[in-house]
Amino acid sequence: MRVNMLGVGIDNITGSEAMTLVARRIRQKQNTVVYTPNPIMMYQAMKDSDFRRTLNRAHLNLPDGVGLRIAAALMSLPLSHRVAGIEFGESLLSFAARTGLRVFLLGSKTDVATAAARKLRQKPPTLTVCGVHHGYFAESESQAICDRIERVRADILLV
């Protein structure tokens, strides 16, 4: 069930329910967008209608941070679980390693993104990180990056 919090739909589900839903969509070859809004993102969404629309187009908005749970309680909204983005990401990477899915990392500085990929490849060793690209690029480079992600046949894009 999705609740409206300050104009943003937040999904009231557990981490395992979210992972089950995403795994099913991946198996069905359905593109799936998942965000993990935290209080800072919610504040930004209040001020920026484009950002708010972007969040609301997601298939899942998982409440990242106890601040959202507290706000929900103060607003009498049913939001019974916190789903930390890092924990959901770890579950998704574990699923990818078990099922042979290919992961592409996009974001951060070049050395940080490369180090993250190196560390992820160490445990579990069955995880396939098929590409990495830093997050500091011009809009004019976007299509080339998208083409690269497609060319390496990434199943999961972590931004």
Side-chain angles (χ1 to χ4, degrees):
M1 174 174 109
R2 189 168 265 203
V3 299
N4 183 329
M5 180 180 282
L6 305 173
V8 176
I10 303 294
D11 293 287
N12 184 25
I13 61 176
T14 66
S16 62
E17 290 169 332
M19 193 57 236
T20 298
L21 175 67
V22 169
R24 185 179 74 238
R25 289 183 60 88
I26 289 172
R27 281 197 234 26
Q28 295 171 345
K29 305 281 189 215
Q30 294 176 310
N31 287 338
T32 304
V33 175
V34 179
Y35 295 121
T36 56
N38 60 27
I40 294 168
M41 292 171 69
M42 295 298 289
Y43 179 72
Q44 185 64 33
M46 285 175 44
K47 298 186 319 180
D48 183 340
S49 61
D50 288 337
F51 182 57
R52 185 172 52 252
R53 275 191 295 279
T54 296
L55 289 175
N56 282 323
R57 284 193 297 263
H59 296 95
L60 278 177
N61 280 319
L62 303 176
D64 188 354
V66 71
L68 265 65
R69 293 231 15 241
I70 292 170
L74 292 172
M75 298 164 65
S76 299
L77 294 173
L79 193 59
S80 54
H81 301 281
R82 175 182 78 87
V83 183
I86 189 71
E87 292 167 6
F88 180 76
E90 288 171 349
S91 294
L92 187 59
L93 290 170
S94 177
F95 174 74
R98 284 191 319 273
T99 58
L101 295 173
R102 300 165 61 80
V103 178
F104 192 101
L105 305 177
L106 175 65
S108 197
K109 295 178 181 176
T110 300
D111 55 337
V112 174
T114 303
R118 187 173 34 252
K119 203 157 195 80
L120 286 174
R121 287 179 177 121
Q122 291 172 354
K123 61 175 202 191
T126 56
L127 181 66
T128 302
V129 178
C130 63
V132 177
H133 197 283
H134 62 82
Y136 297 90
F137 53 88
E139 189 174 334
S140 61
E141 299 173 87
S142 297
Q143 188 57 54
I145 295 167
C146 289
D147 291 345
R148 178 171 171 227
I149 294 167
E150 191 172 305
R151 196 171 43 255
V152 299
R153 298 182 339 271
D155 300 299
I156 296 172
L157 171 63
L158 288 181
V159 180

